[in-house]
């Protein structure tokens, strides 16, 4: 079970932090990711993190603006989004797997077995 939260309406240039809780996590051998999908567009990889070692990966469109992190004690992954643009508006989905992919595969949605219902981020220009 994955539960996203924190999505809301913001202005372009603002910052926003969204989170994903994984209360049922049973192993430290775990990786989570954020994907997003805007209306009428295909799903896009945003960021991912391996919970052991904290290896991270970012989509090209968010690199340098977004930061993914995880809190092992809270079973939570967060995405700090800075300098938001109108094109960042989308439903953001959390995904997870107990089979952490290699770095080059972290952006592949097929690597993830569990998905949340999504949280809406709206960015007004």
């Amino acid at each position: 079970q994955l539960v996203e939260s924190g999505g809301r309406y913001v202005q372009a240039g603002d910052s926003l932090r969204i989170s994903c809780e994984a209360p049922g996590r049973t192993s430290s051998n775990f990786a989570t990711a954020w994907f997003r999908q805007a209306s009428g567009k295909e799903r896009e990889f945003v960021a991912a993190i391996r919970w052991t070692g904290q290896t991270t990966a970012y989509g090209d469109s968010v690199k340098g603006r977004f930061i993914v992190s995880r809190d092992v004690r809270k079973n939570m992954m967060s995405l700090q989004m800075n300098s938001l643009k109108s094109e960042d508006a989308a439903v953001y989905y959390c995904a997870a797997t107990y089979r952490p992919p290699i770095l080059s595969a972290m952006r592949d949605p097929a690597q993830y077995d569990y998905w949340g219902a999504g949280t809406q981020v709206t960015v007004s220009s």
Side-chain angles (χ1 to χ4, degrees), residues 48-64:
I49 185 167
R50 296 170 66 110
W51 285 45
T52 299
Q54 299 191 61
T55 300
T56 58
Y58 293 93
D60 292 340
S61 62
V62 307
K63 202 171 294 183

Side-chain angles (χ1 to χ4, degrees), residues 1 4 19-20 23 26 35 44-45 52 58 60 62 64 67 69 74 76 78 87 93 97-98 104-105 125:
Q1 179 186 8
E4 302 97 333
S19 296
C20 170
T26 58
F35 290 83
E44 177 187 14
F45 170 73
T52 299
Y58 293 93
D60 292 340
V62 307
I67 301 171
S69 62
K74 294 182 178 179
M76 181 178 291
S78 296
E87 52 262 44
Y93 297 95
T97 178
Y98 287 105
S104 60
S125 57

Side-chain angles (χ1 to χ4, degrees), residues 18 20 31-37 43-51 54-70 77-81 88 92-97 101 103 105-109 112 115:
I18 59 175
C20 170
T32 48
W34 289 101
F35 290 83
R36 68 186 183 187
Q37 188 165 20
R43 182 171 50 188
E44 177 187 14
F45 170 73
V46 177
I49 185 167
R50 296 170 66 110
W51 285 45
Q54 299 191 61
T55 300
T56 58
Y58 293 93
D60 292 340
S61 62
V62 307
K63 202 171 294 183
R65 297 188 298 125
F66 290 11
I67 301 171
V68 64
S69 62
R70 94 293 183 257
M77 172 181 66
S78 296
L79 185 69
Q80 176 67 39
M81 302 185 288
D88 294 318
Y92 283 72
Y93 297 95
C94 174
T97 178
L103 181 60
M106 290 177 79
R107 60 183 61 231
D108 180 1
Y112 300 91
W115 292 80

Side-chain angles (χ1 to χ4, degrees), residues 4-19 34 66 79-93 118-125:
E4 302 97 333
S5 63
R8 61 181 176 88
Y9 176 95
V10 295
Q11 299 282 341
D14 284 354
S15 295
L16 180 67
R17 187 178 185 90
I18 59 175
S19 296
W34 289 101
F66 290 11
L79 185 69
Q80 176 67 39
M81 302 185 288
N82 301 317
S83 302
L84 281 161
K85 306 175 181 179
S86 57
E87 52 262 44
D88 294 318
V91 177
Y92 283 72
Y93 297 95
T119 187
Q120 178 74 52
V121 174
T122 304
V123 183
S124 172
S125 57

